[in-house]
């Protein structure tokens, strides 16, 4: 059976960890839509496009030769045939990606591309029509409101900040927390001007994983999926 699972939530809520694990567990493809906004940023910087020039950024995004590899065991992002995955989470990109992500013409292009990937995986793309787990900020609401299961994954800001600091700096001490604060708090505020990912739309199940370890979040999500697709 082809299953489409959509997961939204703010930075540090644990979306990627959960989405990859669910995809592997159910034999589904995996799409990290945040990395599509990140690669658009890389593309603009590499081709000399001024990120404040909204029309130029939108035009560059539409022309971007992008391939998303949707294997949950090794998701990769290819730009003009070159694997740029390792460049996507550098501080240089994280600091400015929101400028690209709040560009409405960019969002329209991304929605079309994401929808095409989801439809292809649903009906017989690379994964043989098994389905997909897609995660981001507007997947449950704008990109795939028709998904079989829609989850909004949230957590307290202190938990989210600590998780991101561990991920980026390997520690959650005061210095690491401070270095991560911009990415989690300022960026979520900017991103929430164009997507609603702090409260669930009708039909979207909220999973608050504050204080939970990844195994507990996974178990809670499995229960939601079982309940929805029964
Ligand atoms: O999840 P992330 O940190 O990799 O996302 C990168 C940026 O893209 C971040 O500013 C949020 C934005 N984003 C978005 O606006 N819509 C999505 N579906 C996914 C990410």
């Amino acid at each position: 059976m082809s299953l489409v699972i959509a997961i939204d939530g703010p930075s540090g809520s644990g979306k990627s960890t959960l989405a990859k694990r669910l995809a592997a567990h159910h034999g589904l493809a995996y799409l990290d839509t945040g990395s599509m906004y990140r690669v658009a940023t890389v593309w603009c910087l590499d081709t000399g496009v001024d990120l404040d020039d909204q029309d130029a950024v939108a035009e560059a995004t539409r022309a971007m030769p992008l391939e998303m590899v949707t294997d949950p065991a090794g998701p990769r992002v290819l730009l003009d045939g070159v694997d740029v995955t390792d460049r996507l989470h550098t501080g240089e990109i994280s600091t400015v990606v929101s400028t690209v992500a709040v560009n409405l013409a960019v969002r329209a292009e991304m929605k079309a591309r994401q929808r095409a990937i989801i439809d292809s995986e649903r009906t017989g793309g690379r994964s043989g029509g098994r389905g997909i787990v897609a995660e981001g900020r507007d997947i449950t609401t704008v990109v795939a409101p028709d998904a079989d299961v829609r989850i909004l994954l949230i957590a307290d800001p202190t938990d989210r900040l600590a998780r991101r600091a561990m991920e980026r700096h390997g520690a959650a001490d005061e210095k690491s927390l401070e270095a991560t604060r911009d990415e989690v708090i300022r960026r979520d505020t900017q991103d929430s001007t164009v997507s609603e990912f702090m409260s669930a739309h009708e039909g979207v199940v909220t999973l608050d994983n504050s204080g939970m370890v990844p195994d507990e979040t996974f178990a809670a999500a499995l229960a939601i999926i079982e309940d929805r697709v029964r």
Side-chain angles (χ1 to χ4, degrees):
M1 182 186 111
S2 166
L3 183 64
V4 176
I5 300 173
I7 303 176
D8 285 327
S11 304
S13 58
K15 292 187 302 291
S16 298
T17 306
L18 175 64
K20 265 188 270 192
R21 201 161 159 190
L22 288 175
H25 180 82
H26 286 291
L28 308 173
Y30 163 68
L31 180 65
D32 167 9
T33 61
S35 66
M36 295 174 73
Y37 290 97
R38 288 174 181 274
V39 72
T41 308
V42 168
W43 177 246
C44 286
L45 294 177
D46 283 4
T47 54
V49 172
D50 175 2
L51 297 186
D52 293 322
D53 184 341
Q54 296 216 8
D55 291 343
V57 170
E59 197 181 319
T61 302
R62 285 191 286 269
M64 173 171 63
L66 171 66
E67 188 191 338
M68 300 297 292
V69 178
T70 57
D71 173 6
R76 311 301 297 173
V77 178
L78 307 184
L79 187 54
D80 213 2
V82 177
D83 188 338
V84 294
T85 316
D86 293 344
R87 292 180 60 196
L88 302 181
H89 287 274
T90 56
E92 183 200 7
I93 301 303
S94 296
T95 310
V96 293
V97 62
S98 255
T99 310
V100 173
V102 298
N103 181 320
L104 295 182
V106 168
R107 299 198 72 78
E109 171 65 16
M110 290 305 188
K111 179 185 170 186
R113 290 191 189 217
Q114 290 158 9
R115 193 68 227 186
I117 295 169
I118 292 168
D119 286 342
S120 137
E121 297 290 1
R122 189 206 296 267
T123 58
R126 285 205 181 128
S127 64
R130 283 172 301 176
I132 188 165
V133 183
E135 52 122 329
R137 303 291 189 287
D138 59 348
I139 312 305
T140 64
T141 52
V142 175
V143 176
D146 56 343
D148 302 295
V149 184
R150 291 180 294 155
I151 297 174
L152 180 69
L153 190 64
I154 58 167
D156 290 339
T158 42
D159 284 46
R160 297 192 285 108
L161 196 54
R163 286 176 194 160
R164 262 293 137 91
M166 281 301 293
E167 197 179 291
R168 297 278 189 264
H169 306 283
D173 53 47
E174 217 21 74
K175 195 164 152 252
S176 307
L177 290 176
E178 205 41 57
T180 319
R181 202 174 299 275
D182 174 75
E183 187 180 339
V184 173
I185 309 295
R186 194 256 318 154
R187 221 185 53 188
D188 277 352
T189 307
Q190 191 170 351
D191 291 333
S192 62
T193 60
V194 289
S195 305
E196 204 182 320
F197 54 84
M198 292 305 206
S199 60
H201 278 210
E202 203 187 328
V204 178
V205 181
T206 300
L207 172 52
D208 183 345
N209 72 359
S210 304
M212 287 189 192
V213 295
D215 278 354
E216 292 170 315
T217 306
F218 180 61
L222 282 183
I224 292 169
I225 294 164
E226 201 170 304
D227 185 56
R228 289 274 145 164
V229 298
R230 218 177 335 169

